[in-house]
Amino acid sequence: MLSPETTTQTTSQRLRWKLSLWRAILSTALGERLVYRGDFALGTLMRFLPIITQIFLWYAIFDSIEATQGGSLKNTEIRGFHFTDMVAYYLLTMIARAFSSMPGLASGIAREIRDGEIKRYLIQPIDLISFLLLTRIAHKMAYYAVAILPFALVFFLCRDYFTSGWPSWPVLAAFAGSLIMGFMIGFFLEAAIGMIGFWFLEVSSLLFVYMLFSFFLSGHMFPLTMLPDNVATFVNLLPFKYLAYFPAAIFLGKIPEEDLPLELAIEACWLTFFIVVCRIAYARGVRRYSGFGG
C-alpha cells in the first residue's frame, strides 16, 4: 500500500507529465501553422472586403430614412444604432467571428470516426478533445500573430466610425472575456456536433443547418436588436449571440455596464453546458465505437 507521501508524489509527477505533454502539443502545432500559413496577412485583408458591400447597403438604408424623416444621416438611428455604429459593429464582429469560428472541426471529428483514425486517441495517452483544443488555440495564436497588423491597419483607417470612443477598462476586460469564452463556446459546440458521428457517421447535413442558424442568430449578418421584439427575446436566450453580437455590443457600449457581470455569467453557464455535453457525448461514443476503417 502506498503511503500518502508517495501518492502525492505520483499525482504531482502525472500532473507535470500532462502539462509537459500539452505544452509540447501546443508548441508543435503553433510552429507548424506559422510555417505553412504565411497567407494569414493577405487573407485577413481579404476578409474585410465583403464589409464594403454591407457599408453601402446600410448607407442606402440610413440615407433613405434620412430623406423620409428630413433629419441628418448623423442623427438617424435604427434600433439603437447610428450609421457609424453599424460600420464599427461589422468590424468588431469580424474579430469576434475570427475567435469563435471553427472551420472543419465538426466535419473533421466525424471523418476521423468514420475512417477509423480516432483509434489512435484510444490507444495513445492523448485525449482527443484536449488535443483538438490545443491545436485550435495554436491556430488562433498563429493567426493573430500574423494578422494583427492588417487588423490594426483596417481599424486605424476606420477609426472615425468609432464615435463612442475608447471603452473603459472594465468594459475592455468584459470584451476580452467575451471573446475568450466565445472561442470556447464555438469549439465545444462544434466538437459536440462532431461527436454525433459516433452514431450517424455523417454530420454534414446537421452541420449545414447549424451554420445557417449560426450565421443569422449570432448577429454576424445584422445586430440582433434589429429583430422584432418578440423574436429578439427568444434569440437572446440562445447561445449563438455570444459568437458575434455580444462582444461587439460590449465594445460599443450597447450593453449597460451594470448588466455585464450577469451577461458574462450567463455566457459562462452556456460554456459549461457545452463542455459537459461534449465530454458526455465523447465518453458514450467511445463506448459504442466499433472501430470502422483501416
Side-chain angles (χ1 to χ4, degrees):
M1 183 175 180
L2 296 177
S3 64
E5 293 80 5
T6 304
T7 303
T8 302
Q9 289 179 354
T10 303
T11 304
S12 177
Q13 289 173 353
R14 288 177 179 174
L15 179 59
R16 286 199 300 269
W17 178 84
K18 183 168 290 189
L19 290 175
S20 177
L21 175 64
W22 290 348
R23 184 168 60 251
I25 294 173
L26 180 61
S27 60
T28 302
L30 180 59
E32 290 177 349
R33 280 152 180 78
L34 285 175
V35 168
Y36 74 82
R37 291 305 301 269
D39 61 338
F40 275 162
L42 179 61
T44 301
L45 285 175
M46 295 301 103
R47 282 175 176 266
F48 286 102
L49 290 182
I51 294 183
I52 297 176
T53 304
Q54 296 282 2
I55 291 175
F56 284 130
L57 172 63
W58 283 104
Y59 180 85
I61 294 174
F62 278 89
D63 186 58
S64 63
I65 295 177
E66 172 199 353
T68 302
Q69 297 180 351
S72 64
L73 184 64
K74 181 179 180 180
N75 296 324
T76 302
E77 180 180 313
I78 303 177
R79 293 279 186 162
F81 282 79
H82 297 89
F83 174 68
T84 53
D85 292 333
M86 196 66 68
V87 176
Y89 173 81
Y90 279 112
L91 293 173
L92 290 167
T93 56
M94 292 298 294
I95 294 180
R97 288 299 295 171
F99 269 84
S100 62
S101 63
M102 300 290 158
L105 177 61
S107 59
I109 294 174
R111 183 174 60 253
E112 289 196 338
I113 296 171
R114 182 178 63 248
D115 296 343
E117 296 178 7
I118 199 170
K119 291 195 297 290
R120 58 182 173 174
Y121 300 104
L122 305 182
I123 61 177
Q124 297 178 7
I126 302 176
D127 174 62
L128 170 66
I129 298 175
S130 299
F131 176 80
L132 292 176
L133 178 59
L134 289 170
T135 55
R136 289 288 164 164
I137 292 174
H139 173 83
K140 298 300 181 183
M141 291 173 63
Y143 176 84
Y144 277 105
V146 179
I148 189 170
L149 290 179
F151 266 100
L153 174 62
V154 171
F155 274 76
F156 175 76
L157 295 176
C158 299
R159 62 190 181 280
D160 291 338
Y161 290 107
F162 291 84
T163 55
S164 57
W166 197 253
S168 63
W169 284 110
V171 174
L172 280 177
F175 173 69
S178 69
L179 289 177
I180 294 172
M181 285 194 288
F183 162 76
M184 299 292 285
I185 288 176
F187 174 84
F188 283 102
L189 197 162
E190 283 214 25
I193 294 176
M195 298 302 170
I196 298 176
F198 281 112
W199 287 266
F200 296 102
L201 296 182
E202 182 57 57
V203 300
S204 57
S205 298
L206 181 61
L207 188 59
F208 175 79
V209 173
Y210 160 71
M211 294 301 295
L212 181 65
F213 278 100
S214 176
F215 184 74
F216 286 98
L217 302 182
S218 67
H220 183 62
M221 188 173 183
F222 51 81
L224 297 181
T225 54
M226 301 292 176
L227 295 170
D229 291 337
N230 55 341
V231 177
T233 300
F234 171 73
V235 171
N236 280 321
L237 297 176
L238 302 176
F240 298 109
K241 71 174 184 178
Y242 300 110
L243 304 179
Y245 169 78
F246 186 60
I250 290 177
F251 193 96
L252 294 175
K254 301 303 180 182
I255 299 177
E257 194 167 336
E258 60 272 15
D259 294 342
L260 288 179
L262 176 60
E263 289 286 351
L264 289 171
I266 294 174
E267 184 176 11
C269 289
W270 274 115
L271 171 58
T272 303
F273 171 77
F274 284 117
I275 291 174
V276 172
V277 167
C278 184
R279 281 293 177 182
I280 291 176
Y282 180 57
R284 294 188 176 181
V286 166
R287 285 202 296 268
R288 75 182 306 277
Y289 179 62
S290 300
F292 296 105

